């Protein structure tokens, strides 16, 4: 209860400004650019379960793609974007599209109808085969923003990236909450992973230090709210 009360006192900040562009953080883990009617999602990792089975022979419940696409369908139906940008690692490996169930592939086609759909190349799916609709790009510029998969230390203001699957952890009196989060210092933003099986890396990990040398704010995805929490208040794993 004490931890919950502590979180309740933290200001909810669903909207940001980056490089002169308005950003709206969505509880689903997507980023909405209202002035461009563009939805950005990152690290879907579709077909991660089937990839694990193919490599190891051990089977995970084969519903990760369906669950991820169901969440994506909800936010697209709610926002009706003119453009959807999938910010890399949309598939867990280059053969992911070939292993998709026909119903899942059909849902992707439905989601793409009537809108521009951009697959940004990631480290897992840089060489994904064709046949999944949309178009591919290494990076994409929208207004003052640059969208890419992997964040680059020292990049110009306005970078939006994924790749690191950030999660923030708040601990108090032996209780802890760990949630996916957006991370920003007002110059760049790293997005949470959208995929059901994507996992997460604690934002106190050293991998984030070169990107945010002067600190950052993590926007944790809570139950019905987004909580803005400064770096110093976040715990390590």
């Amino acid at each position: 209860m004490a931890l919950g009360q502590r979180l309740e006192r933290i200001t909810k900040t669903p909207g940001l400004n980056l490089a002169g562009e308005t950003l709206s953080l969505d509880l689903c883990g997507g980023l909405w650019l209202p002035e461009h009617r563009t939805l950005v999602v990152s690290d879907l990792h579709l077909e991660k379960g089937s990839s694990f089975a193919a490599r190891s022979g051990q089977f995970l419940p084969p519903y990760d793609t369906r669950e991820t696409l169901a969440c994506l369908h909800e936010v697209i139906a709610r926002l009706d974007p003119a453009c959807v940008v999938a910010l890399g690692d949309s598939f867990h490996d280059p053969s992911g599209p070939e292993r998709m169930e026909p119903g899942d592939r059909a849902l992707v086609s439905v989601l793409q109808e009537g809108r521009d759909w951009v697959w940004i190349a990631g480290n897992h799916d840089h060489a994904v085969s064709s046949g999944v609709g949309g178009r591919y790009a290494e990076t994409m510029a929208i207004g003052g923003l640059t969208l890419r998969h992997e964040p680059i230390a020292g990049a110009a203001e306005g970078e939006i990236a994924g790749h690191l699957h950030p999660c923030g952890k708040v601990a108090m009196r032996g209780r802890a909450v760990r949630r996916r989060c957006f991370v920003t210092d007002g110059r760049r933003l790293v997005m949470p992973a959208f995929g059901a099986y994507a996992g997460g890396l604690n934002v106190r990990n050293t991998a984030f230090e070169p990107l945010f040398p002067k600190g950052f704010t993590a926007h944790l995805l809570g139950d019905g709210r987004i909580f803005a929490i400064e770096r110093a208040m976040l715990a390590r794993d």
Side-chain angles (χ1 to χ4, degrees), residues 32-39 79-84 114-115:
W32 177 236
L33 310 179
E35 296 171 0
H36 303 278
R37 285 191 59 213
T38 295
L39 172 67
L79 297 175
D80 189 24
C83 177
V84 175
R115 54 180 53 91

Side-chain angles (χ1 to χ4, degrees), residues 44 51 68 72 127 234:
L44 303 176
S51 177
T68 301
L72 189 56
L234 295 165

Side-chain angles (χ1 to χ4, degrees), residues 187-230:
R187 292 182 53 83
R188 63 147 48 95
L189 181 138
V190 177
M191 294 188 55
F194 197 91
Y197 282 3
L201 179 67
N202 191 305
V203 291
R204 296 298 303 272
N205 187 281
T206 56
F208 291 92
E209 293 177 0
L211 303 175
F212 304 104
K214 296 182 179 180
F216 56 77
T217 300
H219 297 264
L220 275 63
L221 306 181
D223 297 328
R225 295 182 62 182
I226 294 178
F227 298 94
I229 305 177
E230 297 299 321

